[in-house]
Amino acid sequence: MSSTVQTDFFTVVRERHSVKHYDAAHKLSEQEIKELLEIANSAPSAWNLQHWKFLAITDQTAKAKLLPIAYSQTQVVEASVVVAILGDLQANLKAEAVFEPDVQAGLLSEEVKANLVGQIEYTYANVPTAPRDEAIRNASLAAMQLMLAAKAKGLDSCPLGGYDADKFVEAFGVPARYVPVMLVAIGKAATPARPSVRLPVEQTIFWNLELSKKLAQSDF
Ligand SMILES: Cc1cc2nc3c(=O)[nH]c(=O)nc-3n(C[C@H](O)[C@H](O)[C@H](O)COP(=O)(O)O)c2cc1C
């Protein structure tokens, strides 16, 4: 993998597709994987709480353990790395670690920090859906950024939701604080992705106050 490949954003988005067959001989070094994950790690997140952990699975034994959990989808053994994206159900506990350096650097006042911490504590204590919603929402943004980073570096990827999350938790020792969000297989394509198209954007865009009326007229 060359970290100097330059591909413009629109080409990256257009050319990213979910590759199902990888060159099993292609390896990525820890440094190369780290570079990709650093880009994923720069994704935006609510209150900048960075609700994600990345488990990079590179070892053939670990990949073989994953194969039946992923319903025998061979991407997980052929890809150079499978990154399990884990969402943090207690990302509120990171508030101090996230905000205090900003205060020390003069980027955030103590008052603003206290306000933000108050919002976070209130939300995590009083909105029952928030911990899981925030974990999945924010970690998914990191997953998307990871796939685009891979494409920009000349690699291919496939997101996988098709795996048994409970078995994954057990097999890979995921603590209760974290929820498996998705797997992302990354490597060199052996076979190009099956072309896929999207429904016309006109069927997905609505404007202003017309949503319920237009959706009621829609066939889907
Ligand atoms: C959350 C999520 C879960 C997915 N799970 C799987 C999966 O388990 N196996 C698979 O082969 N593809 C999986 N896909 C890939 C989709 O099938 C693919 O993104 C979609 O068909 C569009 O094709 P494209 O990604 O090639 O543009 C998943 C995609 C997403 C976003």
Side-chain angles (χ1 to χ4, degrees):
M1 180 181 71
S2 163
S3 52
T4 55
V5 172
Q6 298 279 324
T7 313
D8 84 88
F9 173 77
F10 299 102
T11 305
V12 167
V13 171
R14 197 174 50 247
E15 293 189 350
R16 183 223 54 83
H17 282 291
S18 297
V19 163
K20 312 287 162 106
H21 298 289
Y22 293 85
D23 172 0
H26 181 266
K27 303 281 176 228
L28 288 170
S29 67
E30 269 192 34
Q31 181 55 31
E32 288 170 322
I33 294 168
K34 198 173 157 209
E35 279 176 34
L36 289 169
L37 292 175
E38 271 176 346
I39 298 166
N41 197 49
S42 71
S45 58
W47 294 294
N48 196 23
L49 289 178
Q50 303 157 53
H51 314 57
W52 48 74
K53 296 278 185 212
F54 306 121
L55 173 63
I57 302 170
T58 53
D59 183 77
Q60 270 321 117
T61 312
K63 288 178 184 172
K65 195 169 184 179
L66 183 56
L67 186 61
I69 294 170
Y71 307 122
S72 300
Q73 299 193 72
T74 52
Q75 300 96 304
V76 303
V77 282
E78 289 176 354
S80 310
V81 59
V82 179
V83 180
I85 312 286
L86 307 175
D88 188 351
L89 297 166
Q90 292 177 281
N92 53 313
L93 300 181
K94 287 157 118 179
E96 188 63 26
V98 167
F99 296 132
E100 187 51 28
D102 284 354
V103 172
Q104 294 304 321
L107 299 171
L108 197 67
S109 69
E110 282 287 2
E111 191 189 353
V112 173
K113 177 189 156 188
N115 192 331
L116 292 169
V117 170
Q119 287 173 21
I120 293 164
E121 281 174 359
Y122 178 87
T123 304
Y124 276 76
N126 295 288
V127 183
T129 52
R132 191 175 167 85
D133 284 354
E134 294 296 341
I136 294 173
R137 180 170 26 238
N138 292 287
S140 295
L141 295 177
M144 185 74 248
Q145 201 142 303
L146 176 61
M147 291 185 274
L148 294 178
K151 191 74 223 175
K153 284 180 177 279
L155 296 164
D156 294 289
S157 67
C158 183
L160 288 100
Y163 64 98
D164 186 321
D166 292 339
K167 286 190 179 147
F168 181 82
V169 163
E170 198 189 326
F172 287 85
V174 180
R177 175 169 168 175
Y178 299 97
V179 55
V181 172
M182 73 183 82
L183 306 174
V184 178
I186 300 173
K188 266 276 173 226
T191 312
R194 183 174 66 81
S196 66
V197 290
R198 300 296 186 264
L199 298 170
V201 78
E202 290 73 19
Q203 290 179 14
T204 63
I205 302 180
F206 300 88
W207 301 96
N208 303 312
L209 300 175
E210 69 179 20
L211 181 69
S212 58
K213 187 169 147 226
K214 288 277 174 150
L215 273 179
Q217 294 163 358
S218 160
D219 290 339
F220 310 58

